[in-house]
Amino acid sequence: MAILVTPETKILVQGITGGFGGRHAKLSIDYGSQVVAGVTPGKGGQTFDHGDTSVPIFDTVAEAVAETGATTSAVFVPPPFAADAILEGTDAGLDLVVAITEGIPVRDMVRVKRAMEGCSTRLIGPNCPGIVTPGMGEDSHGGCRIGISPGYIHKPGNIGVVSRSGTLTYEAVFQLTSRDVGQSTCVGIGGDPVNGTSHIDVIKMFMEDKDTHGIIMIGEIGGDAEEEAAAWIKENGTKPVAGFIAGTTAPPGRRMGHAGAIVSGGKGTAEAKIEAFKGAGIGVAETPSEMADTLLKMM
Amino acid sequence: MNIHEYQAKQLFKQFGVAVPEGDPCDTPEEARAIADRLVAGGSEMLVVKSQIHAGGRGKGTFKSGFQGGVKLSKSPDEIEDYARKMLGEVLVTKQTGEDGRLVSKLLVADAPEIKKELYFAVMLDRGTSQPLVMASTEGGVDIEEVAESTPEKIVKEWIDPARGLYPYQARKVAAALGLGGKLINSASKLIMATYKTWWECDASMVEINPLCIIEDSDGNQSIMAVDAKMSFDDNALYRHQDIQDMRDLAEEAELEIEASKFDLNYIKLDGNIACLVNGAGLAMATMDIIKHFGGEPANFLDVGGGASKEQVAAAFKIILSDPNVEGILVNIFGGIMDCNVIATGIVAAVKETGLKLPLVVRLEGNNVEAGKQTLSESGLTIVTGESMADAAQKIVAKVAADSGEEAADEEAGE
């Protein structure tokens, strides 16, 4: 078991004919994930071919869902059209939409988030590396890879990873795998100020997942999603959680790469988040090199 | 992106937010002409305001010694004189740092009779993902201090983005500020128009501090935005050419502008150990680990997920343009990207720039063995780090040793 996606999850890729989407669709196919459909308006009826795999392309998500039974989408469409693409996936009744696209205007995401209230579709991202549930094959082949993560660094196992940052997620996964410790599911929730799924949502899922035995939670400056998750863990946590917060040295008022990584008005500081982690019994890695070890010591 | 006060007021005018009459200028003569026109139009008091992207202008000091980046006067002569003392001079405020900012534009405006100063802002509340209107009876002061010491004096109203701000909500905010009678309509109109400015322009923040109750010579009171501060969502600028045109490159750090040309995310800091990293989170974490081991990071630099050889070369040049840099730490987790491509880029950049400073490289990920081989066979003195911690410790130690040697050399020379 895992959370959100399993190796059987049927994936459709919105924006599969674009350079970015196409490249990562191929990598997901290589990893052994079930990429069953592509969607590019105007290219319905064509196919996306990679090796022995031929993926049908549809004009709309609804058609792709009806024809292939896809339940999950990876959104790679450019920022101006991304909000529309996310809502199209919602309208088609997908279980999960994973928005990889970086650079979606905040106002668009504010409207998307409001429009998705009460819908059964879950949004992960935007501006995220996606999700990986490692498979049982060599280098975790045969797992479900949605997005842009390097699949081969994973290993199937019992640690859940949730993070706002892509490369820090890879760093944590790599540390775990190097120590021969596998992962249940790794979720990148994205670096934007408005995102579909926050730390607390993923933490709750990990706590309920019987195959997840420990959790690494990686946060960064900006907002208070980490504090919110920490408060929940303090009251309800049943499994060891270790964490790291990036941005202790970030100057206030500056956006550190991610649109959401900013300390403004004295809020969203690394210090406050680390304090919240400690107060909730979350093991805090002193440096990003010690994320895995910090958790393993607690288990 | 940030804009100047005069530009924010131009946007306010377009959206129907009341602002004092006035115009921007770049010469003392123009300042004089605007002042003359305002006096002819009935202005009894005038103000000349330095236009820089930093607060605390009124209490700032010019490097020439002249006090105050904002000056009041009744006389156009005096306004012209103030303008002469401000233009082309560097203003230092509590927000500019000691380098200050060059003043090359002024706003000359009517200074209405202020009865009371209030605070008003529109922003995104990240917790709820909703727009938030925030107001306070404590205007003209640091709102963060108000929030800290007297949070009960801050009024908040969340807005459902599906329906927008309704007038009743604006009246509710106005009433909470104690604005009754005729003022409630003037205030609600201004609040509605300010929200519209924020929403339509894809602003991150629109702040009016102070928002003022003003009184004209006949004793009529109304509400007016006496100051204006706006910042915008960079991701949405593509749909606002008019706002993009307001970008003032002189307000941005030169190296940061240069970096943006290569799609590099660079922010200069005060330390001496530069870093070059892929991914924003890892880049922040790399700065943090340098500090953890006793060093000081010189910059934030994210070369992005798919960094090319050209970007690595450009990144090195930018890093080396900072005279404070005494060592470089490269930290790449090449999940998908080929580590050997990065290694080749590093070797080329080191040769091209004739790098003399210590360089520690930590590579991990795809094709990493070939990458490490490229580094070791380059004939260059590149130290490799096995982990982030190892790499950070090595660069901190090398920089400390080098500056120790320099100090020893200096002593020996004396």
Side-chain angles (χ1 to χ4, degrees), chain A residues 23-24 27 79-81 102-108 110-111 113-114 117 145 148-153 164-165 167-168 170-171 174-175 192-195 220-224 244-251 254-262 264-267 286-290, chain B residues 124 126-131 144 147 156 160-163 198-202 204 232-236 238-240 256 265-269 277-289 291-293 297 300 302 331 333-337 362 364-367 387-390:
Chain A
R23 178 155 177 252
H24 285 285
L27 287 166
F81 318 107
E102 177 175 5
I104 305 175
V106 172
R107 191 178 77 189
D108 293 7
V110 164
R111 294 171 80 157
K113 187 134 185 184
R114 177 67 176 88
E117 262 174 42
R145 171 190 183 269
I148 59 175
S149 295
Y152 70 94
I153 63 170
R164 272 163 73 186
S165 147
T167 38
L168 269 180
Y170 313 157
E171 181 73 39
F174 181 78
Q175 286 173 18
D192 274 5
V194 177
N195 56 12
E220 61 191 32
I221 53 163
D224 59 4
F244 175 74
I245 301 289
T248 307
T249 52
R254 298 299 309 262
R255 246 167 244 286
M256 308 305 285
H258 287 156
I262 180 168
S264 57
K267 294 211 180 75
E286 290 270 316
T287 75
S289 267
E290 293 155 76
Chain B
L124 171 77
R126 289 173 62 161
T128 60
S129 299
Q130 286 188 336
E144 286 162 27
K156 289 178 177 175
D160 179 344
R163 35 173 245 176
W198 182 84
W199 180 263
E200 301 273 321
C201 296
D202 279 293
S204 311
F232 300 90
D233 176 7
D234 291 345
N235 290 342
Y238 73 88
R239 54 190 178 203
H240 300 285
E256 291 173 18
N265 225 318
Y266 171 89
I267 294 171
K268 193 184 168 318
L269 303 171
V277 191
N278 66 326
L282 195 63
M284 272 189 271
T286 305
M287 291 163 31
D288 296 346
I289 202 169
K291 177 90 174 175
H292 179 82
F293 288 113
F300 168 89
D302 171 16
N331 182 19
F333 197 103
I336 302 293
M337 68 159 113
R362 184 266 179 148
E364 200 51 76
N366 190 15
N367 207 15
S387 65
M388 276 180 84
D390 181 46

Side-chain angles (χ1 to χ4, degrees), chain B residues 271-274 298 322-328 356-359 395 398-400 402-403 406:
Chain B
N272 55 357
I273 299 178
D322 174 357
N324 297 332
V325 169
E326 293 172 9
I328 302 173
K356 296 280 187 294
L357 301 172
L359 169 65
I395 191 67
K398 277 194 114 14
V399 167
D402 284 6
S403 54
E406 267 173 42

Side-chain angles (χ1 to χ4, degrees), chain A residues 153-178:
Chain A
I153 63 170
H154 295 80
K155 174 186 162 73
N158 305 106
I159 304 300
V161 179
V162 55
S163 168
R164 272 163 73 186
S165 147
T167 38
L168 269 180
T169 312
Y170 313 157
E171 181 73 39
V173 169
F174 181 78
Q175 286 173 18
L176 288 167
T177 300
S178 309

Side-chain angles (χ1 to χ4, degrees), chain B residues 3-271:
Chain B
I3 59 173
H4 289 294
E5 176 197 0
Y6 79 92
Q7 294 165 321
K9 284 180 171 171
Q10 284 167 356
L11 284 173
F12 266 164
K13 257 185 164 171
Q14 281 175 35
F15 284 90
V17 179
V19 295
E21 271 304 308
D23 273 313
C25 61
D26 359 71
T27 65
E29 294 72 27
E30 281 177 88
R32 165 71 189 233
I34 298 164
D36 280 336
R37 184 168 55 72
L38 290 171
V39 169
S43 284
E44 287 168 9
M45 182 60 86
L46 304 169
V47 65
V48 54
K49 306 175 88 173
S50 301
Q51 299 295 291
I52 57 169
H53 289 184
R57 294 170 297 172
K59 288 180 182 145
T61 305
F62 286 88
K63 284 195 168 169
S64 61
F66 183 67
Q67 289 288 328
V70 175
K71 287 284 187 187
L72 284 162
S73 174
K74 290 182 175 178
S75 134
D77 279 346
E78 210 170 11
I79 292 290
E80 183 180 345
D81 185 47
Y82 286 144
R84 194 158 276 124
K85 286 174 173 140
M86 292 176 178
L87 284 165
E89 299 294 336
V90 174
L91 178 61
V92 180
T93 79
K94 62 176 182 181
Q95 284 184 19
T96 61
E98 58 187 31
D99 287 346
R101 299 279 172 82
L102 179 70
V103 175
S104 47
K105 216 163 202 80
L106 302 172
L107 172 64
V108 178
D110 178 49
E113 166 97 16
I114 294 169
K115 287 288 156 197
K116 185 164 176 45
E117 293 189 329
L118 310 163
Y119 174 91
F120 185 75
V122 189
M123 66 200 76
L124 171 77
D125 177 44
R126 289 173 62 161
T128 60
S129 299
Q130 286 188 336
L132 170 65
V133 153
M134 209 166 95
S136 175
T137 50
E138 307 303 295
V141 293
D142 186 350
I143 196 68
E144 286 162 27
E145 279 170 27
V146 178
E148 187 80 16
S149 57
T150 48
E152 70 281 1
K153 288 186 175 166
I154 290 182
V155 181
K156 289 178 177 175
E157 182 76 12
W158 281 266
I159 293 134
D160 179 344
R163 35 173 245 176
L165 176 68
Y166 268 77
Y168 80 84
Q169 293 176 290
R171 291 195 300 272
K172 198 164 111 187
V173 172
L177 292 176
L179 302 171
K182 272 187 189 171
L183 280 179
I184 200 162
N185 290 325
S186 171
S188 116
K189 182 169 172 274
L190 182 138
I191 290 169
M192 295 293 292
T194 306
Y195 179 75
K196 197 174 176 206
T197 313
W198 182 84
W199 180 263
E200 301 273 321
C201 296
D202 279 293
S204 311
M205 167 90 155
V206 170
E207 188 179 53
I208 306 174
N209 191 20
L211 170 71
C212 295
I213 303 175
I214 57 152
E215 191 170 282
D216 66 17
S217 46
D218 302 326
N220 295 318
Q221 290 192 348
S222 65
I223 300 286
M224 195 175 260
V226 168
D227 199 353
K229 192 175 162 189
M230 292 185 194
S231 60
F232 300 90
D233 176 7
D234 291 345
N235 290 342
L237 285 175
Y238 73 88
R239 54 190 178 203
H240 300 285
Q241 188 57 49
D242 56 334
I243 295 167
Q244 276 185 59
D245 293 342
M246 293 179 176
R247 186 172 174 192
D248 182 356
L249 291 176
E251 287 286 337
E252 297 174 28
E254 224 171 286
L255 286 179
E256 291 173 18
I257 298 168
E258 185 62 20
S260 68
K261 290 180 192 161
F262 294 92
D263 272 331
L264 300 169
N265 225 318
Y266 171 89
I267 294 171
K268 193 184 168 318
L269 303 171
D270 297 330

